[in-house]
Amino acid sequence: MTEDELEKQFQSVYTHAKVKEFQKQFFDKIHCFCDKPAKVDGIMSEHEINEWVTYGEGEEKKRIQVAFTVDFNGESNETHCNCRLFESRGMVCKHQLFVWHQEGIERVPDRYVLRRWCKNVKRVHTKVRICYDKSSTSIVARRHDNMCNIFNEVADLAEESQEKYDMVMKRVRELKRELMEASVICESNVVSLGDDTGTRKSSFFHLEMELYLLNRARTYLTRKVFDEKGDRRAKERSVLWKKLLRRKGKHLRSHCPTINPRLMRLRRLRLATTSGHKRVL
């Protein structure tokens, strides 16, 4: 990793896989260069970025120069490249990075840092209740389920008219703003209160840990009961298989000449008698 501010911005929020994908674009911009000055029209400017592109294999490998156009907004620092890598794959391209470096931009707009590639994103499917996962029965999961049920009922009641919809959306926005303000106040109190808040958080942590261990113990005991039942059934099946194989072996020894010794002796005697008649003739 370099000391570049753009790389630090993406490295601090993106997952490891997406950071590697960004670094590929970041290092590939060394193949880009700009021969012509940008065309400026007010706050908008158009940059023509040339790139050396290699294609083909073996002796047919060739290297050509391809031109790309990047539009840059000097007020919002937004860029748009006609390669459309960001629009198709959600990752900024080497041509956009080249223009940002050329314009001296150290931090890209937030619209180019997609939430779905971030490390701290909260996935919706992690809140879904799963029958074999006891972590879904935690306090946080139960709160989430209760709120979702109430929100679904409110949505069913308000979807019939525009007035009810506007009323619900206004209340929800006010509630969201109040919760965000409360979270900011709680964070400031954590910094100011010090030891007392740390004690409360630690007690809450112990409560959550006790619930987690209790759920894990229940899961372990349930699985142990199933394993014991499975062992009994496996033993019963093995006994049945042994009986079937024993009966099959008796059947083979009584009918197959290659296994029954008595039939083998009769067969050798018959062959010997037949060969003796042939020699006499």
Side-chain angles (χ1 to χ4, degrees):
M1 180 177 172
T2 64
E3 296 297 326
D4 189 87
E5 294 297 328
L6 288 179
E7 188 179 5
K8 287 181 180 179
Q9 179 185 359
F10 284 90
Q11 193 269 342
S12 62
V13 294
Y14 271 9
T15 60
H16 294 299
K18 285 300 170 182
V19 168
K20 290 181 180 179
E21 188 175 343
F22 170 80
Q23 287 177 337
K24 184 179 185 305
Q25 297 294 325
F26 184 81
F27 291 121
D28 283 349
K29 76 178 187 296
I30 62 175
H31 301 295
C32 302
F33 59 95
C34 184
D35 291 335
K36 302 178 182 179
K39 300 177 183 180
V40 181
D41 184 12
I43 61 174
M44 297 298 298
S45 60
E46 182 178 314
H47 299 258
E48 185 177 337
I49 310 300
N50 298 308
E51 179 188 0
W52 288 106
V53 179
T54 304
Y55 70 95
E57 296 180 356
E59 298 178 354
E60 298 180 356
K61 184 180 292 186
K62 295 182 180 180
R63 195 173 183 221
I64 61 173
Q65 182 177 322
V66 182
F68 296 92
T69 303
V70 179
D71 297 325
F72 175 74
N73 189 328
E75 184 176 355
S76 61
N77 295 335
E78 294 182 356
T79 57
H80 177 268
C81 182
N82 62 352
C83 76
R84 297 187 179 278
L85 180 68
F86 180 75
E87 288 79 6
S88 60
R89 297 180 57 186
M91 180 60 64
V92 293
C93 66
K94 63 194 82 171
H95 317 113
Q96 292 173 296
L97 292 171
F98 184 87
V99 172
W100 278 324
H101 273 283
Q102 201 172 34
E103 295 292 336
I105 306 300
E106 295 185 353
R107 186 174 182 84
V108 303
D110 293 336
R111 69 180 296 263
Y112 296 102
V113 183
L114 299 185
R115 180 174 174 271
R116 63 176 178 266
W117 307 140
C118 294
K119 294 182 286 190
N120 58 349
V121 64
K122 292 185 178 180
R123 309 289 181 184
V124 178
H125 64 266
T126 58
K127 302 292 186 181
V128 178
R129 185 182 297 276
I130 305 172
C131 61
Y132 54 83
D133 186 9
K134 295 298 182 181
S135 62
S136 61
T137 60
S138 64
I139 296 176
V140 178
R142 288 200 297 271
R143 291 172 185 165
H144 182 270
D145 291 340
N146 294 334
M147 288 187 290
C148 286
N149 294 333
I150 295 177
F151 290 155
N152 288 331
E153 293 176 1
V154 172
D156 292 337
L157 294 172
E159 66 183 2
E160 297 177 354
S161 66
Q162 185 66 31
E163 295 179 359
K164 294 180 180 179
Y165 168 79
D166 295 337
M167 180 181 65
V168 169
M169 293 303 295
K170 181 180 178 181
R171 298 280 182 85
V172 169
R173 291 192 183 99
E174 292 176 356
L175 181 61
K176 180 181 177 182
R177 186 175 65 254
E178 292 175 2
L179 290 173
M180 292 177 67
E181 292 174 356
S183 64
V184 173
I185 294 173
C186 289
E187 290 177 359
S188 61
N189 289 337
V190 167
V191 175
S192 60
L193 290 176
D195 297 337
D196 184 28
T197 306
T199 306
R200 292 181 196 170
K201 290 181 71 176
S202 119
S203 62
F204 180 75
F205 171 77
H206 286 303
L207 177 61
E208 288 282 343
M209 183 58 67
E210 288 176 2
L211 290 173
Y212 173 76
L213 294 175
L214 180 61
N215 289 329
R216 293 291 295 177
R218 290 175 180 171
T219 306
Y220 172 77
L221 293 174
T222 306
R223 289 180 178 173
K224 189 175 181 182
V225 170
F226 280 117
D227 290 341
E228 290 177 355
K229 291 182 179 179
D231 292 340
R232 281 203 305 271
R233 291 171 183 171
K235 290 178 181 178
E236 292 173 359
R237 284 197 296 269
S238 65
V239 171
L240 291 175
W241 273 108
K242 288 179 181 178
K243 290 181 179 179
L244 290 173
L245 290 174
R246 197 178 299 117
R247 293 174 184 173
K248 192 69 175 176
K250 291 180 179 178
H251 176 76
L252 289 173
R253 283 193 296 273
S254 60
H255 292 85
C256 183
T258 58
I259 297 177
N260 194 329
R262 182 171 174 276
L263 293 178
M264 286 291 291
R265 287 196 296 272
L266 291 174
R267 186 177 179 184
R268 291 196 195 97
L269 182 60
R270 190 182 300 111
L271 289 175
T273 306
T274 307
S275 61
H277 285 303
K278 286 182 180 179
R279 281 197 295 271
V280 171
L281 294 174

